[in-house]
Amino acid sequence: MTQNDYMLRAVELARNGIGFVNPNPLVGAVIVKNDTIIGEGWHEHYGGLHAERNALRNCTEDPAGADLYVTLEPCCHQGKNPPCTDAIIESGIKRVYMGSYDPNPLVSGKGIAQLRCAGIEVIQNVCKEECDKLNRIFFHYITTRTPYCMIKIAMTADGKTATRAGLSKWITGESSRQHVHEVRKQFSAILCGIGTVLADDPTLTCRIENPSNPIRVICDSNLQIPLDCKLVHTAKEVPTYVACCHMEQRKAESLKKAGVHILEMPAEDGHVKLRSLMRKLGALGIDSVLLEGGSALHESALRSGIVQHIQVYIAPKIFGGVSAKSAVGGIGVFEVEEAYRLSKPEIRTYGNDVLLDYDILED
């Protein structure tokens, strides 16, 4: 196996932590001695041992003189666990291959420096692109203290998200819908608007094997959410937040008794100010938000600049109709130059559907 092979194995291990480590990063580690893997580990859950310590604990022989492959710069500060640099130095590891730098100000090059001061060789940027991709959420959150936000859209080939009668089940096929649940597991929270709640009465849970249900956040400016909806009924099982800017106190008390958390937010054009909501969610330790809203919320999110990524599932169907809803509503842009610009897409297929993954490009 090559250096890249060992690092890609560490990337594979890191993915086992998806849905369980937020707001910490996904990290995998592989220990190699005499061209043989003698230890593997990953960060398994928030508050648990880090990947390097798990790999050292799982070693089948003495790691002294071995090489360590780790997807992220080893931590060098005391958090819920002691510094990983201490464990690496004490183990006798002679060389560390590293994928990504850690932008956390508590680490950010200091981990590399500590290892080198101890006489350990550090080789940087091994499979950097693959390692960086693991932690787009963490990198954004640790540097901005606001959640990484992604819009999920399911639409027909002519850009419609519902028929003219407002019907949308099901635009995409079963494979795409299954993938959505896998994506939900990656995010700390799902955000939707009150319109979606009133129209669909969703549960917004993660229905896959070994699930990790994200927190549910509803933008509901006037606190219209029905007390008998599924979200309220399950609020004591899955944490549920309702963000509002105008509320009736009796209704709020009833929701609180049902287990719903109320976030009273400032208004912007009569609706919840999304930038303020993102700052609030970030302060609550929510590092990522999957936005599964309607066209109005999508437009507001794009206009407010809170979105970093968009996933678009396109089904091989055409609805047509001037009055049929499209993915992004609102007033829209006036000039072509005002368009929200997207990166070159990553393209995948699920059944007969096509998934386009875009980053939002900054001006």
Side-chain angles (χ1 to χ4, degrees):
M1 294 175 70
T2 66
Q3 294 175 5
N4 282 5
D5 291 330
Y6 291 129
M7 186 62 80
L8 291 176
R9 172 59 181 163
V11 169
E12 182 183 356
L13 292 168
R15 292 195 182 104
N16 291 324
I18 288 175
F20 302 105
V21 304
N22 307 63
N24 282 351
L26 296 165
V27 186
V30 172
I31 298 173
V32 179
K33 190 171 184 178
N34 298 324
D35 298 322
T36 301
I37 294 175
I38 64 168
E40 296 184 332
W42 65 92
H43 185 28
E44 297 176 3
H45 59 86
Y46 179 71
L49 290 178
H50 290 183
E52 300 94 323
R53 288 182 177 272
N54 272 328
L56 288 167
R57 185 179 64 172
N58 294 333
C59 277
T60 57
E61 62 178 274
D62 186 353
D67 295 336
L68 168 67
Y69 291 80
V70 61
T71 56
L72 184 68
E73 179 180 359
C75 70
C76 54
H77 66 287
Q78 177 70 47
K80 290 186 177 296
N81 287 283
C84 288
T85 49
D86 289 355
I88 294 168
I89 293 167
E90 291 166 7
S91 71
I93 292 286
K94 72 173 182 179
R95 188 182 295 114
V96 173
Y97 293 88
M98 190 187 86
S100 299
Y101 291 93
D102 189 340
N104 184 343
L106 296 173
V107 184
S108 192
K110 299 181 184 72
I112 297 170
Q114 281 194 12
L115 294 174
R116 285 178 171 161
C117 282
I120 297 173
E121 183 181 0
V122 179
I123 295 89
Q124 300 161 226
N125 301 322
V126 180
C127 297
K128 185 177 188 300
E129 182 178 350
E130 292 84 354
C131 292
D132 285 353
K133 190 175 180 180
L134 271 176
N135 283 306
R136 289 183 298 184
I137 287 173
F138 172 74
F139 292 162
H140 176 85
Y141 179 69
I142 202 68
T143 55
T144 68
R145 289 299 172 183
T146 59
Y148 182 92
C149 182
M150 184 178 88
I151 291 177
K152 188 273 291 184
I153 294 169
M155 68 183 192
T156 61
D158 59 334
K160 302 299 183 180
T161 57
T163 68
R164 62 186 174 90
L167 304 175
S168 59
K169 293 184 178 179
W170 295 103
I171 290 176
T172 53
E174 185 176 343
S175 295
S176 292
R177 298 198 299 275
Q178 177 66 19
H179 182 251
V180 167
H181 288 284
E182 294 170 5
V183 171
R184 282 180 178 179
K185 186 176 178 179
Q186 301 174 35
F187 286 77
S188 293
I190 295 181
L191 173 66
C192 77
I194 185 60
T196 299
V197 176
L198 296 175
D200 300 335
D201 192 18
T203 56
L204 301 178
T205 53
C206 183
R207 297 186 290 278
I208 58 173
E209 186 178 349
N210 195 23
S212 174
N213 283 320
I215 291 166
R216 303 175 301 193
V217 182
I218 313 303
C219 272
D220 183 7
S221 301
N222 298 303
L223 212 58
Q224 297 174 273
I225 188 168
L227 293 172
D228 61 351
C229 73
K230 293 174 183 174
L231 293 172
V232 174
H233 278 176
T234 58
K236 291 182 179 178
E237 301 165 23
V238 181
T240 304
Y241 290 76
V242 175
C244 64
C245 41
H246 310 286
M247 68 176 180
E248 192 271 312
Q249 197 60 40
R250 187 176 297 177
K251 176 75 170 287
E253 290 302 320
S254 296
L255 289 169
K256 289 177 183 177
K257 287 180 181 178
V260 175
H261 303 274
I262 306 294
L263 300 176
E264 193 166 7
M265 304 302 303
E268 186 173 57
D269 299 326
H271 300 285
V272 170
K273 188 173 182 179
L274 293 178
R275 278 189 171 274
S276 296
L277 177 59
M278 291 300 112
R279 286 194 293 270
K280 180 65 175 178
L281 295 177
L284 292 171
I286 296 171
D287 67 350
S288 50
V289 170
L290 177 60
L291 204 161
E292 295 193 17
S295 61
L297 186 56
H298 291 164
E299 193 272 339
S300 295
L302 288 167
R303 179 162 35 85
S304 66
I306 67 168
V307 183
Q308 285 72 51
H309 196 82
I310 296 181
Q311 282 192 336
V312 183
Y313 297 83
I314 302 177
K317 301 173 183 176
I318 291 178
F319 285 169
V322 173
S323 61
K325 287 185 177 180
S326 60
V328 180
I331 192 170
V333 302
F334 186 77
E335 299 283 353
V336 171
E337 292 76 14
E338 297 173 346
Y340 304 102
R341 297 184 303 114
L342 309 178
S343 67
K344 181 179 179 180
E346 180 181 329
I347 304 171
R348 287 168 284 169
T349 58
Y350 291 91
N352 293 327
D353 303 327
V354 175
L355 172 60
L356 304 178
D357 260 302
Y358 297 101
D359 287 325
I360 300 286
L361 298 179
E362 297 182 1
D363 294 331

